[in-house]
Amino acid sequence: MNGSTVFVIYAGFICASSLYFQQTESPLLLIGITFIYMLSHAARKIIPVPHAVQLVLLIVLHIFSATHWILPLYLLHMGIIFYKTPSLTLALSYNLGMMTAYSLAVLTYSTVTIYTVTDIVFTAASCMLMAYLFRKYMYAIEQQKQLLTNEKKHLSTHDLLTGLYNFQEFHRQMGIFVEQKESSILVLIDCKNLKSLNTTNGFQGVNKILKQAAELLRIMFPDASLIARYGGDEFAIVVTASDPKKTIHTITQLLASEFPKLTGIEINFGIASYPEDGLNKDDLILVAEHNLYMMKRESWLKREEHMLRSEKLRVVGELASGMAHEIRNPLTTVKGFLQLSRAGNYNIEPWYDLIMDEINRMSMLTAEFLQFSKPHVTHYKIQTIESCISRVISLLDSEITRLGHQIGFKDEGHGVCMFMDQDKMLQLLLNLVKNALEAMPEQGTVYIHLYL
């Protein structure tokens, strides 16, 4: 049931009750006024009738019906005036005029006494108060509704944790921003190893880091046109740029140096410039994601190289202990011959070949050791695997002797060539042979068989 139906039904009830109890002196006029009043509400969507006309019809209906039962219709009209009139003072003035008209209409069919006047004044004041409270209540409901609407809109467009725009809203805002055709820079940021911190800092700890990162981005880029949480540990920034090269340099310096210092987390980032890298949203995002991927790949390769270097240094440390003994023996021999020569003034020529063999042996051993331990740039090329196996045997010779093991190498490959990085292949074979040596509890032999 809508509002117009309530007016129509209640007006019909007033007319019928006035006729039944013989309150009206002009039944035909009452029926006619009631019909016009009901029509003004029933046909409001077809023929809009001004509210002032409806009020005049209400007062005339009141006079001809000659009954207090019409008071709820006054209250309904007063509530409408209070609700639809923005100014409280103006709404009070309109309703005061309506209550004055109500009072005068009552006096047309009532005997004027002190009780009658008091009753009219009390009724009018009560109606004013009730209408005012209705206005206050309705406005409170509207404000609450508006707050809920704004909150719902905010939650649908913003990330709950960081307060930044979410993924969907970023794409919508980015599309609008690109349509403005302003020179701008898009930056996609990925926090490195943030998921692994869940095990050390806990879920809440990582959430705190994300909130700090979002707040820092707001501080570092106060003039950014758009800052959003692009994914779980990814952020997106759009900055207008009158000088793209200078802006990109500034952004790179801030993200590569300042951001990690202040947050304690390393990041990768990809940058795309409008209109140089694309003329629409999708092209810009594609370029930025590609640049982000390339930076991730470079970072991953550096990390792998560091891990390889650490592993190599570990193996070098283990080899060094065995090689120290192997080098000490030739040195002892050379030292002994030199001491004998000096003490007895002997000519060392008879032992020259033996001394040189020991020195060459030490030189070859240290050369192999240094060749393996020095930094090596990854470089793939076609090489023979026999040379790698020979170097492994040479490097492990002292350790094999110390442990009492033997190593046998059978080559039936006739020059097997592989596309490989020699240094990495050397480390692979070295680890395999060392594992084999460590797996033997007693003295034994490790066999290496190369064949096609």
Side-chain angles (χ1 to χ4, degrees):
M1 182 183 294
N2 55 33
S4 298
T5 305
V6 174
F7 281 100
V8 170
I9 293 175
Y10 207 87
F13 173 77
I14 294 297
C15 178
S17 64
S18 180
L19 291 172
Y20 180 78
F21 292 106
Q22 297 180 355
Q23 296 292 317
T24 180
E25 297 178 356
S26 305
L28 293 178
L29 286 174
L30 175 61
I31 294 172
I33 292 299
T34 303
F35 177 76
I36 295 173
Y37 178 78
M38 294 169 66
L39 188 63
S40 69
H41 285 281
R44 186 177 59 180
K45 293 183 179 180
I46 303 174
I47 305 174
V49 179
H51 195 237
V53 174
Q54 292 178 334
L55 292 177
V56 172
L57 291 172
L58 175 63
I59 295 168
V60 174
L61 176 61
H62 184 193
I63 294 171
F64 280 97
S65 64
T67 176
H68 287 14
W69 291 6
I70 201 171
L71 185 60
L73 287 178
Y74 278 93
L75 279 172
L76 289 172
H77 279 283
M78 291 175 69
I80 292 173
I81 291 174
F82 261 124
Y83 181 69
K84 291 189 175 181
T85 306
S87 172
L88 178 60
T89 304
L90 192 60
L92 287 171
S93 301
Y94 288 157
N95 285 333
L96 184 61
M98 188 185 303
M99 284 294 95
T100 302
Y102 166 80
S103 302
L104 294 175
V106 171
L107 292 175
T108 60
Y109 59 84
S110 301
T111 303
V112 179
T113 62
I114 295 177
Y115 174 78
T116 303
V117 174
T118 304
D119 181 62
I120 292 173
V121 172
F122 178 77
T123 301
S126 298
C127 288
M128 289 287 290
L129 178 61
M130 292 178 66
Y132 170 73
L133 292 176
F134 172 78
R135 169 195 171 95
K136 188 176 181 181
Y137 176 72
M138 291 303 296
Y139 268 70
I141 291 177
E142 286 294 328
Q143 289 178 355
Q144 187 67 24
K145 181 181 177 181
Q146 187 62 41
L147 287 175
L148 291 174
T149 302
N150 293 339
E151 184 178 357
K152 180 180 178 182
K153 182 179 179 181
H154 180 82
L155 292 175
S156 65
T157 58
H158 289 73
D159 175 59
L160 186 61
L161 177 65
T162 61
L164 303 176
Y165 284 123
N166 58 25
F167 180 81
Q168 292 80 6
E169 186 64 15
F170 165 75
H171 277 267
R172 193 182 73 84
Q173 293 283 350
M174 185 66 186
I176 296 173
F177 189 77
V178 170
E179 290 177 357
Q180 298 175 359
K181 300 186 182 303
E182 292 186 43
S183 179
S184 57
I185 306 298
L186 168 64
V187 186
L188 296 182
I189 302 170
D190 176 67
C191 300
K192 294 166 58 177
N193 302 324
L194 199 58
K195 293 183 179 65
S196 62
L197 294 179
N198 280 321
T199 57
T200 55
N201 294 11
F203 181 78
Q204 294 298 330
V206 173
N207 284 348
K208 185 178 179 181
I209 293 174
L210 286 172
K211 288 193 283 188
Q212 291 175 346
E215 188 61 30
L216 182 59
L217 289 176
R218 290 192 185 100
I219 296 172
M220 294 176 69
F221 302 97
D223 300 326
S225 303
L226 184 61
I227 302 179
R229 188 180 179 188
Y230 194 71
D233 53 2
E234 295 182 346
F235 297 92
I237 304 174
V238 177
V239 182
T240 55
S242 55
D243 186 353
K245 291 184 178 180
K246 183 178 179 181
T247 303
I248 291 175
H249 176 73
T250 302
I251 292 172
T252 302
Q253 187 175 12
L254 287 173
L255 295 180
S257 178
E258 298 300 323
F259 189 89
K261 287 180 182 178
L262 296 173
T263 60
I265 56 175
E266 296 292 330
I267 60 171
N268 294 314
F269 56 91
I271 298 176
S273 175
Y274 176 89
E276 288 81 2
D277 295 325
L279 298 177
N280 57 63
K281 169 180 69 77
D282 295 331
D283 289 345
L284 287 174
I285 293 175
L286 186 64
V287 172
E289 287 182 342
H290 174 73
N291 292 335
L292 174 61
Y293 166 76
M294 294 304 295
M295 189 173 186
K296 282 184 178 180
R297 183 177 181 274
E298 183 180 353
S299 176
W300 181 82
L301 290 174
K302 287 182 179 179
R303 185 171 65 250
E304 288 296 311
E305 185 67 26
H306 176 72
M307 291 176 62
L308 180 64
R309 176 69 176 161
S310 299
E311 175 66 16
K312 182 185 291 186
L313 290 176
R314 184 188 67 81
V315 174
V316 166
E318 293 177 358
L319 291 176
S321 61
M323 291 183 64
H325 176 74
E326 190 68 18
I327 293 175
R328 190 183 298 114
N329 291 335
L331 285 176
T332 301
T333 302
V334 173
K335 180 180 178 180
F337 281 120
L338 292 176
Q339 287 175 339
L340 286 173
S341 175
R342 181 178 181 181
N345 197 20
Y346 296 142
N347 184 6
I348 64 172
E349 185 175 356
W351 304 283
Y352 178 80
D353 293 336
L354 181 61
I355 292 173
M356 289 304 300
D357 287 342
E358 294 296 324
I359 293 175
N360 289 334
R361 181 183 170 196
M362 286 189 295
S363 297
M364 292 177 61
L365 196 60
T366 53
E368 287 289 336
F369 185 78
L370 292 174
Q371 177 68 22
F372 175 69
S373 62
K374 73 177 182 179
H376 182 75
V377 178
T378 301
H379 182 61
Y380 290 93
K381 61 182 181 179
I382 298 176
Q383 302 177 83
T384 60
I385 196 170
E386 288 90 344
S387 60
C388 291
I389 297 175
S390 298
R391 288 183 62 188
V392 167
I393 294 173
S394 176
L395 284 169
L396 290 174
D397 185 58
S398 60
E399 181 144 355
I400 291 172
T401 303
R402 179 176 62 84
L403 296 174
H405 297 312
Q406 294 182 354
I407 188 167
F409 175 42
K410 184 178 181 181
D411 182 10
E412 296 181 7
H414 307 293
V416 177
C417 295
M418 295 180 63
F419 185 69
M420 63 179 176
D421 179 272
Q422 190 177 36
D423 190 56
K424 289 183 173 58
M425 179 59 70
L426 176 63
Q427 186 166 348
L428 172 64
L429 295 173
L430 191 62
N431 287 333
L432 287 174
V433 176
K434 279 178 62 63
N435 289 340
L437 293 173
E438 293 171 0
M440 292 188 295
E442 300 178 356
Q443 294 182 354
T445 304
V446 175
Y447 294 98
I448 302 174
H449 187 186
L450 179 63
Y451 60 92
L452 286 175

